[in-house]
Amino acid sequence: MYITRRERFSAAHKLSKEEWSDEKNLEVFGKCANPNWHGHNYELFITVKGEVNPETGFVMDLKLLGEMIKERVIRHLDHKNVNLDTPFMKGQLSSTENICIAVWEELAQPIADQGATLHYIKLQETENNYVEYYG
Amino acid sequence: MYITRRERFSAAHKLSKEEWSDEKNLEVFGKCANPNWHGHNYELFITVKGEVNPETGFVMDLKLLGEMIKERVIRHLDHKNVNLDTPFMKGQLSSTENICIAVWEELAQPIADQGATLHYIKLQETENNYVEYYG
Amino acid sequence: MYITRRERFSAAHKLSKEEWSDEKNLEVFGKCANPNWHGHNYELFITVKGEVNPETGFVMDLKLLGEMIKERVIRHLDHKNVNLDTPFMKGQLSSTENICIAVWEELAQPIADQGATLHYIKLQETENNYVEYYG
Amino acid sequence: MYITRRERFSAAHKLSKEEWSDEKNLEVFGKCANPNWHGHNYELFITVKGEVNPETGFVMDLKLLGEMIKERVIRHLDHKNVNLDTPFMKGQLSSTENICIAVWEELAQPIADQGATLHYIKLQETENNYVEYYG
Amino acid sequence: MYITRRERFSAAHKLSKEEWSDEKNLEVFGKCANPNWHGHNYELFITVKGEVNPETGFVMDLKLLGEMIKERVIRHLDHKNVNLDTPFMKGQLSSTENICIAVWEELAQPIADQGATLHYIKLQETENNYVEYYG
Amino acid sequence: MYITRRERFSAAHKLSKEEWSDEKNLEVFGKCANPNWHGHNYELFITVKGEVNPETGFVMDLKLLGEMIKERVIRHLDHKNVNLDTPFMKGQLSSTENICIAVWEELAQPIADQGATLHYIKLQETENNYVEYYG
């Protein structure tokens, strides 16, 4: 059985590498390289796998899961600049793929500590684009 | 090839165990334990796996699939109380997980009788929470 | 200028009048008269009218508006039974229309106390049905 | 008859006044005052009023309307920083209200030049917040 | 008080005038003039205005309203060709505007016969385009 | 890591076999067999699997992926008649399943030429129905 919790955050970012010229950044990353930043309303889906506990009918307490995601992930991303403000993104390109992997690293162990398994993360950047990761 | 049919239902439920005190129910199930019930607009996604029939271009007739879901599942859930009115939920905690498993039990055999395979059920309780089950 | 805040709640209710027989209730209210309750995920949209404050660029602080709605309305409706648990619905049929009017009564004065004007309420019961009220 | 065109843009912004201290900005604008910016996927709805042209069955050519919105508004906002990059927002607080008014100023005359009337603008910042303006 | 019912239909159409050449049709109507038709999933919102009946808490029985819309409008549009199959569109350009006006003509009197008033129709052609009509 | 791009198209089609009588077509395909066509707003989700390139933080350039989908698939489907206008559907029943398989055939090799792998296609015909294919 799989349970999923959706959380959302609004953040600024840009895609660019310091060691590249502005021209090269613009060529590779297009309008996402705008030096003055741009931003998104991201949607984050966290899917946890486990057995249904016969005592509670739950795989995992969704309220607890939501609190873990808010404490470890959302408060570092919501109304923040992913490149400048988010500790677990320091030194990385802020592509949707890389944010997704970094969120996995933040959540896999705490979820395991609850006796369940982080199975899947989906991070939706716009209506048209999302990434998915299975660890 | 996988085909999916969405159906919806509005139902009341609460999470509580008769053998527990009100305090314990509230502690474990939070606001979902409200003794006077609460409710949701649920969305149910039923995914069937099969080969495409070269005669029809279909895995399975979606109209027939929709009728099976309505007859066996939705009419027992829509505008009902899951705890009190739904035959296939009698004696069980009405968690989203348990409803999902019970719907699987209702649909797996009838779909197999049509020569297709029930592959996956997703049950969405709110915009923020859903469960998934592969049998 | 109009600003709108969406809030959501999940609640149980039924449509029936005590002075009517079960048959009459069923005839008038259809499946909404199910004696064991049913429920919905409601979406509530509160629209406030006002001038834009040149100091802040705001018609009204949306965070304050959200807190007012949560304190006065949502905490009495979310994971509650509208017929049994909601003080401002006591003695009334819990139709979407009546809930909408009652929410208006709860919010019009507090919003006026902030120097703005409650303009419009939309209450969405399902994907297919909603009501709108201008006071 | 009213016709509406939806366009979308992703932008960074922050709410803060240079003449105020960081503390005052944080107190008034909350997390929207984050000095390192944050961002949103905005949805913009432009509604035009007019008579239906019996030759074409149209109030206005939606393709032309879409192009006007993209040329005059979206290309200055999408993947931009509203505070730093958007000519028609220079010197203003980048509240949703102020962006909405500025978009009105950009579009009212060009739409009038086509023989139609700009009637209404809705600007949605998140699932939970939007503003509306009638000029 | 206003109540709204959403119904949906899937239909084929094209925009073209018989008295015009293919070139002129293509010039005026763009890709909507494709001679072999194209189609949409339309969403239709019907808003009715009235007083709340104190007996029922309703402006109008939504089930009855839904049935009237299905009988008079949807069965002539769903899985049909608007240009060829829909009686109330004969001899007219099948623009979203014209369909909206024709639906108004079909529904205004029957709704008045129920003691309520047709107030507003919204017809959504795609995620990005819709029209609105107040009669 | 999986990345997904959504594209949309509006098309007309019908389900019917020339060698069958109208009665048989109606019996098997129901209202989808309407001889005068009907249509849909389709949503197409293309999921590509690959390693994250450490230089760019991307699995694949989404802009390039979008252009490939538009060039090879969407321009043959959008505002077209799937049965009459779409080269890669000639001689096939235009079921959602068959369109999905045909889109796979069009995209698998070009995506492989970019060093990534087409993993999954989802084709949504209406809010209630979609198909999924893994090749």
Side-chain angles (χ1 to χ4, degrees):
Chain A
M1 177 69 64
Y2 302 82
I3 62 167
T4 297
R5 177 82 188 168
R6 183 186 74 144
E7 298 287 344
R8 292 171 288 154
F9 59 94
S10 298
H13 84 131
K14 69 176 165 187
L15 292 176
S16 70
K17 303 187 76 149
E18 285 182 28
E19 61 268 37
W20 288 357
S21 67
D22 282 4
E23 289 70 26
K24 173 127 197 225
N25 274 314
L26 198 67
E27 184 197 321
V28 173
F29 296 119
K31 60 184 179 178
C32 295
N34 176 34
N36 286 334
W37 316 98
H38 67 284
H40 298 289
N41 300 332
Y42 293 87
E43 285 189 288
L44 177 66
F45 298 81
I46 304 292
T47 300
V48 169
K49 180 171 67 176
E51 298 295 314
V52 178
N53 179 334
E55 274 293 285
T56 61
F58 289 161
V59 166
M60 184 181 166
D61 181 345
L62 268 174
K63 191 153 166 287
L64 177 60
L65 178 59
E67 283 163 7
M68 283 171 47
I69 303 170
K70 282 198 197 78
E71 169 62 23
R72 290 168 187 273
V73 174
I74 300 298
R75 78 179 171 93
H76 297 302
L77 290 166
D78 189 37
H79 284 71
K80 302 289 184 191
N81 183 309
V82 182
N83 301 50
L84 302 178
D85 297 332
T86 308
F88 52 74
M89 289 301 297
K90 282 288 160 59
Q92 297 183 66
L93 276 166
S94 61
S95 68
T96 319
E97 287 92 332
N98 283 346
I99 302 172
C100 189
I101 293 171
V103 171
W104 183 282
E105 303 297 331
E106 295 301 306
L107 291 175
Q109 190 56 52
I111 289 170
D113 292 346
Q114 298 293 329
T117 306
L118 176 57
H119 173 69
Y120 163 89
I121 295 183
K122 176 178 170 180
L123 181 56
Q124 182 124 13
E125 196 187 58
T126 71
E127 277 187 316
N128 293 328
N129 304 328
Y130 60 84
V131 306
E132 299 167 296
Y133 188 57
Y134 291 86
Chain B
M1 178 68 66
Y2 302 82
I3 61 168
T4 298
R5 177 82 189 168
R6 182 186 73 145
E7 299 288 343
R8 291 170 288 156
F9 59 93
S10 299
H13 83 131
K14 69 175 166 188
L15 293 176
S16 71
K17 302 186 78 148
E18 285 181 29
E19 62 267 38
W20 287 357
S21 67
D22 281 5
E23 288 69 27
K24 175 128 196 224
N25 274 313
L26 198 67
E27 184 197 321
V28 174
F29 297 119
K31 62 185 177 177
C32 295
N34 175 34
N36 286 334
W37 317 98
H38 66 284
H40 299 290
N41 300 332
Y42 292 87
E43 285 190 288
L44 177 66
F45 298 80
I46 304 293
T47 299
V48 168
K49 180 170 67 175
E51 297 296 313
V52 178
N53 179 335
E55 275 293 286
T56 61
F58 289 160
V59 166
M60 185 180 167
D61 182 347
L62 268 173
K63 191 154 165 288
L64 177 61
L65 178 59
E67 284 163 6
M68 283 170 45
I69 302 169
K70 283 198 196 76
E71 168 63 23
R72 290 170 186 273
V73 174
I74 301 298
R75 77 178 171 93
H76 297 302
L77 289 166
D78 189 37
H79 284 71
K80 302 290 184 190
N81 183 309
V82 182
N83 300 49
L84 302 178
D85 297 330
T86 306
F88 52 75
M89 289 302 296
K90 283 288 160 57
Q92 296 182 69
L93 275 166
S94 61
S95 68
T96 319
E97 287 92 331
N98 282 347
I99 302 173
C100 189
I101 293 171
V103 170
W104 183 281
E105 303 297 331
E106 295 301 305
L107 290 175
Q109 190 57 51
I111 288 170
D113 293 344
Q114 297 294 327
T117 306
L118 176 56
H119 173 67
Y120 164 88
I121 295 182
K122 176 178 169 180
L123 182 55
Q124 182 124 14
E125 195 187 57
T126 70
E127 278 187 315
N128 293 329
N129 303 329
Y130 60 85
V131 306
E132 299 168 296
Y133 188 57
Y134 290 87
Chain C
M1 177 68 65
Y2 302 82
I3 61 167
T4 297
R5 177 83 189 169
R6 181 186 73 144
E7 299 288 345
R8 291 169 289 156
F9 58 94
S10 298
H13 83 131
K14 69 176 167 187
L15 293 176
S16 71
K17 304 188 77 148
E18 284 181 31
E19 61 268 37
W20 288 357
S21 68
D22 283 2
E23 288 71 26
K24 176 127 194 226
N25 274 314
L26 197 68
E27 183 197 320
V28 174
F29 296 119
K31 61 185 178 177
C32 296
N34 175 34
N36 285 334
W37 317 98
H38 66 283
H40 298 289
N41 300 332
Y42 292 87
E43 284 189 289
L44 177 67
F45 298 81
I46 303 293
T47 300
V48 168
K49 180 170 65 176
E51 298 296 313
V52 178
N53 179 335
E55 275 293 285
T56 61
F58 290 160
V59 167
M60 183 178 168
D61 182 346
L62 268 174
K63 191 154 165 287
L64 177 60
L65 178 58
E67 284 163 5
M68 283 170 47
I69 303 170
K70 281 199 198 77
E71 167 64 22
R72 291 170 185 274
V73 174
I74 301 297
R75 77 179 171 93
H76 297 303
L77 289 167
D78 188 36
H79 283 72
K80 302 288 185 191
N81 183 309
V82 182
N83 301 50
L84 302 178
D85 297 331
T86 308
F88 52 74
M89 289 302 297
K90 283 287 160 59
Q92 297 183 67
L93 275 165
S94 61
S95 68
T96 319
E97 287 92 331
N98 282 347
I99 301 173
C100 188
I101 293 170
V103 170
W104 184 281
E105 303 297 331
E106 295 301 305
L107 292 175
Q109 190 57 51
I111 288 170
D113 293 345
Q114 296 294 327
T117 306
L118 176 58
H119 173 67
Y120 164 89
I121 295 183
K122 175 178 169 180
L123 183 55
Q124 182 123 12
E125 196 188 55
T126 70
E127 277 186 317
N128 293 328
N129 303 328
Y130 60 84
V131 307
E132 299 168 295
Y133 188 57
Y134 291 86
Chain D
M1 177 68 65
Y2 302 82
I3 61 167
T4 297
R5 177 84 189 166
R6 181 185 74 143
E7 299 287 345
R8 290 169 290 156
F9 58 95
S10 298
H13 83 129
K14 69 176 166 188
L15 292 177
S16 71
K17 304 187 77 149
E18 285 181 28
E19 61 267 36
W20 287 357
S21 67
D22 282 3
E23 288 70 27
K24 174 127 196 225
N25 275 314
L26 198 68
E27 183 197 321
V28 175
F29 296 120
K31 61 184 179 178
C32 295
N34 175 34
N36 285 334
W37 317 98
H38 66 284
H40 299 290
N41 300 332
Y42 291 87
E43 285 189 289
L44 177 66
F45 298 81
I46 304 292
T47 300
V48 168
K49 179 171 66 175
E51 296 296 313
V52 179
N53 180 335
E55 275 294 284
T56 61
F58 289 160
V59 166
M60 185 181 168
D61 182 346
L62 268 175
K63 191 155 166 287
L64 177 61
L65 178 58
E67 284 163 5
M68 284 171 46
I69 302 170
K70 282 198 195 77
E71 167 63 23
R72 290 168 186 275
V73 174
I74 300 297
R75 78 179 171 91
H76 298 301
L77 289 167
D78 188 36
H79 284 71
K80 303 288 184 191
N81 184 308
V82 182
N83 300 50
L84 301 178
D85 297 330
T86 306
F88 51 75
M89 290 302 297
K90 283 287 159 59
Q92 296 182 67
L93 276 166
S94 61
S95 68
T96 318
E97 286 93 330
N98 282 347
I99 302 172
C100 189
I101 292 170
V103 171
W104 183 280
E105 302 297 331
E106 295 301 305
L107 290 175
Q109 190 57 51
I111 288 169
D113 293 344
Q114 297 293 329
T117 306
L118 176 57
H119 173 67
Y120 164 89
I121 295 183
K122 175 179 171 179
L123 182 56
Q124 182 123 14
E125 197 187 56
T126 70
E127 278 186 314
N128 292 329
N129 302 329
Y130 61 84
V131 307
E132 300 168 295
Y133 188 57
Y134 291 87
Chain E
M1 178 68 63
Y2 301 83
I3 61 167
T4 297
R5 176 82 189 170
R6 183 185 73 144
E7 299 287 345
R8 291 171 289 154
F9 59 95
S10 298
H13 84 130
K14 69 177 166 186
L15 293 176
S16 72
K17 304 188 76 150
E18 285 181 28
E19 61 269 35
W20 287 357
S21 66
D22 282 3
E23 289 70 26
K24 175 125 196 227
N25 274 314
L26 198 67
E27 185 198 320
V28 175
F29 296 119
K31 61 184 179 177
C32 295
N34 175 35
N36 286 334
W37 316 100
H38 66 283
H40 298 290
N41 300 332
Y42 291 88
E43 286 189 287
L44 177 66
F45 299 80
I46 303 292
T47 300
V48 168
K49 180 171 67 176
E51 298 296 314
V52 178
N53 180 334
E55 275 293 286
T56 61
F58 289 160
V59 166
M60 184 180 167
D61 182 345
L62 268 175
K63 191 154 167 284
L64 177 61
L65 178 58
E67 283 163 6
M68 283 171 46
I69 302 170
K70 283 198 197 79
E71 167 64 22
R72 290 168 186 273
V73 174
I74 300 298
R75 78 179 171 93
H76 298 301
L77 289 166
D78 188 36
H79 283 72
K80 301 289 184 190
N81 183 308
V82 182
N83 301 49
L84 302 178
D85 297 331
T86 307
F88 52 74
M89 289 302 296
K90 283 287 160 60
Q92 297 183 66
L93 276 164
S94 60
S95 68
T96 318
E97 287 92 331
N98 282 347
I99 302 173
C100 188
I101 293 170
V103 170
W104 183 281
E105 303 297 330
E106 295 300 306
L107 291 176
Q109 190 57 51
I111 288 169
D113 293 345
Q114 298 293 329
T117 306
L118 176 58
H119 173 68
Y120 164 88
I121 295 182
K122 176 179 171 180
L123 182 55
Q124 183 124 11
E125 197 187 55
T126 70
E127 278 186 315
N128 293 328
N129 304 328
Y130 60 84
V131 306
E132 299 168 295
Y133 188 58
Y134 291 86
Chain F
M1 177 69 65
Y2 301 83
I3 61 167
T4 297
R5 177 82 189 169
R6 183 186 73 143
E7 300 287 345
R8 291 168 289 154
F9 60 93
S10 298
H13 84 129
K14 69 176 166 188
L15 292 176
S16 70
K17 303 186 79 149
E18 286 181 29
E19 61 267 37
W20 287 357
S21 67
D22 282 4
E23 288 70 26
K24 175 126 196 227
N25 274 313
L26 199 68
E27 184 197 319
V28 174
F29 296 119
K31 62 186 179 176
C32 295
N34 175 34
N36 286 334
W37 317 98
H38 67 284
H40 300 289
N41 299 332
Y42 291 87
E43 285 189 288
L44 177 65
F45 299 80
I46 304 292
T47 300
V48 168
K49 179 171 66 176
E51 297 296 313
V52 178
N53 179 335
E55 275 294 284
T56 60
F58 289 161
V59 166
M60 185 181 167
D61 182 346
L62 268 174
K63 191 154 165 286
L64 177 60
L65 178 59
E67 284 163 6
M68 283 171 46
I69 303 170
K70 282 198 195 78
E71 168 63 21
R72 291 169 186 273
V73 174
I74 300 297
R75 77 178 170 94
H76 298 302
L77 289 167
D78 188 36
H79 284 72
K80 301 290 184 191
N81 183 309
V82 182
N83 301 49
L84 302 178
D85 297 331
T86 307
F88 52 73
M89 289 302 295
K90 283 288 160 60
Q92 296 183 67
L93 276 167
S94 62
S95 68
T96 318
E97 286 93 330
N98 282 346
I99 302 173
C100 189
I101 292 171
V103 171
W104 183 280
E105 303 296 331
E106 295 301 304
L107 291 175
Q109 189 57 52
I111 288 170
D113 293 345
Q114 297 294 328
T117 305
L118 176 57
H119 173 68
Y120 163 88
I121 296 182
K122 175 178 170 180
L123 182 55
Q124 181 125 13
E125 197 186 57
T126 70
E127 279 186 314
N128 292 330
N129 302 329
Y130 61 83
V131 307
E132 299 168 296
Y133 188 57
Y134 291 86

